[in-house]
């Protein structure tokens, strides 16, 4: 079982590592669903021993049907991550009618190689059958899909996550995320069969700063180790 922690800063990455995490999705601005993190944070996280850093590439909060200019920026950022030695990038593209944008996704997978590519929760905004969308992402060559099962959170999405996991087995990894906590992680895993989960484990400090909470990370990892 793999646990990925969503870390919104270098400090959050450190907290995740202290909590026992071996993998993070690095981003910033969780309040808008996450944006591309600062380059300094990416470089610093890549130096943390024992921590695999996946990097979210999302330049702006405009949904997932990007302008040509924003798409070019994404391509540039993916190339930059590759030059840094990032092991995996996290992206997602939809067409204007809400289906998987296969040409752009396929191009990014080719551009990113040898990095892995995760198709993120843009998947949960689709206006097509989830199993059809799954096949589209597989055709593009992505390595995993971060999804709540097209529901507000992964617990509510258990039936769809189970169907996706069954259909995906051996072809692509289903990474269950959104609202995953120490209280529900084991139930999500047991009822869907997923082998990877994604949680933010965040808390808000008195000054309003949101960051990963080390103790919650420990509890999440322990909850699925029982």
């Amino acid at each position: 079982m793999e646990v990925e922690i969503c870390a919104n800063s270098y400090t959050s990455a450190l907290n995740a590592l202290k909590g026992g995490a071996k993998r993070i999705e690095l981003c910033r601005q969780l309040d808008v669903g996450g944006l591309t993190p600062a380059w300094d944070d990416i470089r610093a996280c890549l130096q943390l021993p024992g921590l695999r850093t996946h990097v979210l590439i999302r330049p702006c909060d405009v949904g997932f049907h990007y302008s040509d200019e924003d798409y070019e920026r994404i391509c540039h950022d993916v190339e930059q991550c590759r030059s840094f030695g990032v092991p995996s990038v996290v992206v997602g593209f939809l067409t204007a009618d809400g289906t998987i944008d296969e040409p752009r996704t396929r191009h990014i997978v080719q551009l990113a190689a040898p990095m892995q590519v995760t198709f993120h929760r843009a998947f949960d905004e689709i206006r097509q059958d989830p199993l059809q969308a799954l096949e589209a992402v597989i055709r593009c060559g992505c390595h995993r899909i971060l999804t709540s099962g097209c529901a507000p959170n992964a617990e509510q999405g258990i039936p769809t996550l189970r169907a996706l996991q069954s259909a995906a087995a051996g072809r692509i990894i289903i990474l269950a995320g959104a609202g995953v906590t120490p209280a529900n992680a084991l139930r999500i895993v047991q009822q869907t069969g997923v082998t990877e989960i994604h949680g933010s484990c965040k808390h808000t400090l008195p000054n309003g700063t949101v960051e990963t909470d080390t103790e919650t990370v420990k509890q999440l990892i322990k909850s699925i180790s029982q």
Side-chain angles (χ1 to χ4, degrees):
M1 176 59 58
E2 288 245 13
V3 175
E4 177 180 275
I5 301 299
C6 181
N8 65 341
S9 65
Y10 177 68
T11 298
S12 285
L14 282 174
N15 291 347
L17 184 59
K18 291 173 184 175
K22 296 181 180 179
R23 191 174 98 205
I24 61 167
E25 180 200 68
L26 183 64
C27 65
R28 64 182 175 89
Q29 287 193 233
L30 289 174
D31 57 317
V32 296
L35 298 177
T36 307
W39 297 116
D40 285 348
D41 279 353
I42 295 172
R43 284 188 288 259
C45 288
L46 290 173
Q47 299 304 311
L48 292 173
L51 188 67
R52 183 178 173 90
T53 298
H54 294 195
V55 178
L56 175 67
I57 305 296
R58 185 183 178 217
C60 51
D61 177 26
V62 294
F64 305 107
H65 175 57
Y66 296 99
S67 67
D68 289 343
E69 292 77 12
D70 284 336
Y71 182 68
E72 286 302 316
R73 184 176 172 188
I74 290 169
C75 291
H76 171 270
D77 290 351
V78 167
E79 290 180 308
Q80 192 82 329
C81 283
R82 188 184 63 208
S83 73
F84 288 170
V86 170
S88 182
V89 289
V90 184
V91 298
F93 307 100
L94 302 181
T95 64
D97 61 1
T99 60
I100 302 297
D101 189 330
E102 294 190 52
R104 283 184 166 181
T105 304
R106 187 177 298 110
H107 176 250
I108 288 294
V109 170
Q110 294 168 351
L111 186 67
M115 293 188 295
Q116 290 193 351
V117 175
T118 296
F119 195 99
H120 60 45
R121 290 195 62 217
F123 189 90
D124 296 323
E125 303 293 325
I126 55 171
R127 295 197 294 273
Q128 67 183 124
D129 178 83
L131 294 179
Q132 291 179 352
L134 169 70
E135 295 302 326
V137 175
I138 290 173
R139 283 194 296 270
C140 293
C142 292
H143 299 82
R144 62 175 51 77
I145 300 173
L146 169 59
T147 175
S148 64
C150 302
N153 58 64
E155 191 166 13
Q156 293 180 47
I158 283 175
T160 299
L161 284 168
R162 182 165 53 242
L164 289 169
Q165 174 64 22
S166 178
R171 299 190 295 157
I172 195 170
I173 296 167
I174 301 300
L175 171 60
V180 175
T181 70
N184 63 19
L186 183 60
R187 180 164 61 255
I188 292 168
V189 168
Q190 290 177 334
Q191 294 187 15
T192 64
V194 297
T195 58
E196 296 190 359
I197 58 170
H198 168 103
S200 62
C201 297
K202 63 182 183 292
H203 67 162
T204 303
L205 301 178
N207 65 2
T209 301
V210 175
E211 65 180 33
T212 300
D213 179 59
T214 296
E215 289 306 313
T216 306
V217 173
K218 289 180 181 178
Q219 293 168 16
L220 178 61
I221 293 171
K222 182 180 179 181
S223 75
I224 60 169
S225 303
Q226 298 174 351

